[in-house]
C-alpha cells in the first residue's frame, strides 16, 4: 500500500450467481519525521572591530522517508552575529507536516583589548630646590570596539610630586569583557641646580718675617637639595707667599652639578729693609788740599723677603771736602718698602800751613 487511503473490496458469488461485497479502507499515514544530518557543533569566534562577527558553516542536509522535505533556518552562513550567544536552528518539514529540528550555538566573544590614544611621550623636567618636581601631562583616552564602558586607571596621576630619578607611569584600560591594554611612559626628574655657596671671604694679610704667612679663614658653606662634596685648592691654615693667590672651593652634588666660590688671599709685604751697623758719624782731619779720603764700615741690610736694592750717596774711600757732608744709604725692597741709613762725615781743618 502506498501513502494515503486505499479501498479493499471482497466480492462473494454463490452457484446461483448471487453476489455480495465487503469493503474497507487501508490508510497509510506518514508519521516519520525528516532526518537532519551534519548539524554543526557550537561555534565560538572573536568579535571584530565593530563588535560583531561574520560566521560561516556547512549547511546540514535533510532526508525523509517520503520526498519533498524542506529545510529552513533562523540564520544563514555568512550572517553577521552580535556579541554574545545566538542559537541557530534548522527546521526540516516534510509534506505531511512532520518536523525535526537541529540547533547549535554561535558564540561571539569580545577578545579585543581597548584602544588607548594620546599616551604621553617620555617627560624630562628639572627638580626644584627640594629635589623634586610637580609634573603635569594630559591623560590619555581609551575606547573599545564594543562601545561599552572602559575603566582607565594609572599608578601616577598628573600633578603628582615626583622625586629625582626615573618614574614609569602606566595607564591600564579594562573593558566590560575583562580585556586589558596598557600604555607606559617615563618621567625623568633631573637635578640641574648646582649647589649654592655662602660666606665666600676676601682676605688681605701682612707677611711675616719669613716673607710668607699662615692664613686662616672660615670655609664657605655649600647647600643643595642632596649631598654635597666640597674640595678646594687651598685650605684654611695653609702658608701663603707674598702676592695674590686665588683660592677656589668647588662644590659637587650627587648628580654631578658643580659650582665654585673663589676669593683672593693677598699677602702684602709692608716690612721695610733693616739697616744694621749704620755709622753714627765719621770725623777726619783734612789734608793739605782741604779734603780727605774717608772710609767706614758699610751698614748691613736685611729684609724679610729677598731682593733689596741699595743706593748710596757716597762710598767708603770717597774724597770729602772740608766741612760736614751727609752720607745717605737708601734700601728699597721688591715691594717698595724702604729704609734710610744716614750719617755725617766731617772733615776738619786743623793747623794747616
Amino acid at each position: 500500500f502506498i501513502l494515503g487511503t486505499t479501498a479493499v473490496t471482497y466480492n462473494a458469488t454463490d452457484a446461483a450467481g448471487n453476489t455480495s461485497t465487503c469493503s474497507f479502507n487501508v490508510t497509510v499515514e506518514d508519521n516519520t519525521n525528516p532526518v537532519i544530518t551534519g548539524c554543526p557543533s557550537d561555534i565560538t569566534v572573536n568579535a571584530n572591530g565593530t563588535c560583531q562577527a561574520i560566521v560561516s558553516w556547512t549547511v546540514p542536509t535533510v532526508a525523509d522517508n517520503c520526498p519533498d522535505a524542506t529545510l529552513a533556518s533562523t540564520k544563514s552562513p555568512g550572517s553577521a552575529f552580535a556579541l554574545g550567544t545566538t542559537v541557530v536552528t534548522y527546521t526540516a518539514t516534510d509534506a505531511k507536516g512532520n518536523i525535526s529540528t537541529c540547533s547549535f550555538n554561535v558564540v561571539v566573544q569580545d577578545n579585543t583589548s581597548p584602544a588607548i590614544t594620546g599616551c604621553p611621550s617620555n617627560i624630562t623636567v628639572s627638580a626644584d630646590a627640594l629635589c623634586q618636581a610637580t609634573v603635569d601631562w594630559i591623560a590619555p583616552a581609551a575606547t573599545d570596539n564594543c562601545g561599552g564602558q572602559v575603566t582607565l586607571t594609572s599608578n601616577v596621576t598628573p600633578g603628582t610630586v615626583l622625586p629625582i630619578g626615573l618614574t614609569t607611569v602606566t595607564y591600564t584600560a579594562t573593558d566590560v569583557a575583562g580585556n586589558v591594554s596598557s600604555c607606559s611612559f617615563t618621567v625623568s626628574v633631573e637635578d640641574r641646580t648646582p649647589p649654592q655657596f655662602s660666606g665666600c671671604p676676601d682676605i688681605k694679610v701682612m707677611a711675616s718675617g719669613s716673607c710668607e704667612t699662615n692664613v686662616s679663614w672660615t670655609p664657605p658653606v655649600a647647600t643643595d637639595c642632596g649631598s654635597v662634596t666640597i674640595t678646594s685648592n687651598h685650605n684654611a691654615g695653609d702658608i701663603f707667599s707674598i702676592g695674590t693667590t686665588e683660592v677656589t672651593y668647588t662644590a659637587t652634588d650627587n648628580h654631578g652639578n658643580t659650582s665654585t666660590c673663589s676669593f683672593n688671599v693677598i699677602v702684602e709685604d709692608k716690612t721695610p729693609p733693616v739697616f744694621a751697623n749704620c755709622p753714627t758719624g765719621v770725623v777726619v782731619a783734612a789734608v793739605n788740599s782741604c779734603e780727605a779720603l774717608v772710609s767706614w764700615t758699610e751698614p748691613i741690610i736685611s729684609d724679610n723677603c729677598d731682593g733689596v736694592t741699595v743706593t748710596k750717596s757716597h762710598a767708603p774711600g770717597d774724597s770729602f771736602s772740608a766741612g760736614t757732608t751727609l752720607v745717605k744709604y737708601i734700601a728699597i725692597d721688591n715691594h717698595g718698602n724702604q729704609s734710610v741709613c744716614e750719617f755725617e762725615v766731617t772733615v776738619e781743618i786743623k793747623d794747616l800751613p
Side-chain angles (χ1 to χ4, degrees):
F1 291 80
I2 64 172
L3 189 66
T5 301
T6 302
V8 178
T9 302
Y10 279 85
N11 293 303
T13 303
D14 60 14
N18 299 303
T19 63
S20 63
T21 62
C22 162
S23 295
F24 60 93
N25 293 324
V26 174
T27 301
V28 178
E29 295 179 341
D30 180 9
N31 291 321
T32 303
N33 293 331
V35 177
I36 299 174
T37 57
C39 191
S41 302
D42 290 345
I43 300 173
T44 300
V45 294
N46 293 329
N48 58 22
T50 59
C51 202
Q52 61 181 8
I54 305 300
V55 184
S56 293
W57 60 85
T58 301
V59 176
T61 59
V62 61
D64 193 52
N65 60 331
C66 299
D68 298 328
T70 60
L71 188 65
S73 75
T74 55
K75 284 281 190 177
S76 300
S79 296
F81 285 78
L83 189 69
T85 299
T86 301
V87 179
V88 178
T89 301
Y90 276 88
T91 302
T93 307
D94 63 17
K96 294 303 180 180
N98 298 301
I99 295 173
S100 60
T101 60
C102 149
S103 295
F104 61 94
N105 294 321
V106 174
V107 181
V108 178
Q109 297 178 334
D110 178 13
N111 288 325
T112 302
S113 298
I116 299 177
T117 56
C119 193
S121 301
N122 294 338
I123 299 172
T124 300
V125 295
S126 295
D128 58 21
L130 300 176
C131 273
Q132 59 188 16
T134 301
V135 186
D136 281 303
W137 61 84
I138 298 175
T143 57
D144 191 58
N145 62 324
C146 291
Q149 182 179 2
V150 179
T151 302
L152 188 65
T153 59
S154 173
N155 63 329
V156 183
T157 56
T160 299
V161 177
L162 298 177
I164 285 178
L166 196 67
T167 300
T168 299
V169 180
T170 301
Y171 278 86
T172 302
T174 306
D175 64 16
V176 293
N179 299 302
V180 176
S181 60
S182 63
C183 136
S184 295
F185 61 95
T186 60
V187 177
S188 178
V189 178
E190 298 182 347
D191 178 11
R192 299 172 180 170
T193 303
Q196 299 296 310
F197 270 109
S198 60
C200 207
D202 218 0
I203 299 172
K204 182 181 290 187
V205 297
M206 299 289 292
S208 65
S210 58
C211 203
E212 59 186 11
T213 188
N214 293 83
V215 183
S216 294
W217 60 85
T218 300
V221 177
T223 58
D224 192 70
C225 65
S227 61
V228 180
T229 301
I230 299 178
T231 59
S232 69
N233 60 340
H234 292 280
N235 296 311
D238 283 355
I239 296 176
F240 287 80
S241 301
I242 293 289
T244 299
T245 302
E246 184 178 62
V247 177
T248 299
Y249 279 81
T250 301
T252 305
D253 65 21
N254 54 353
H255 298 108
N257 301 300
T258 62
S259 61
T260 59
C261 154
S262 294
F263 58 92
N264 292 324
V265 173
I266 302 173
V267 179
E268 297 181 335
D269 178 15
K270 295 295 184 179
T271 302
V274 176
F275 279 101
N277 299 324
C278 185
T280 57
V282 179
V283 178
V284 296
V287 296
N288 292 336
S289 59
C290 285
E291 61 183 23
L293 298 178
V294 182
S295 293
W296 60 87
T297 301
E298 290 193 296
I300 299 171
I301 301 97
S302 62
D303 193 61
N304 62 327
C305 299
D306 293 332
V308 179
T309 301
V310 180
T311 59
K312 51 191 173 183
S313 60
H314 298 81
D318 283 353
S319 175
F320 287 79
S321 300
T324 300
T325 302
L326 181 66
V327 177
K328 180 182 290 188
Y329 283 78
I330 300 175
I332 302 176
D333 65 18
N334 288 339
H335 304 107
N337 303 298
Q338 76 175 33
S339 295
V340 176
C341 162
E342 294 179 328
F343 60 95
E344 294 179 343
V345 172
T346 302
V347 177
E348 296 179 338
I349 299 175
K350 293 182 179 180
D351 300 326
L352 292 177

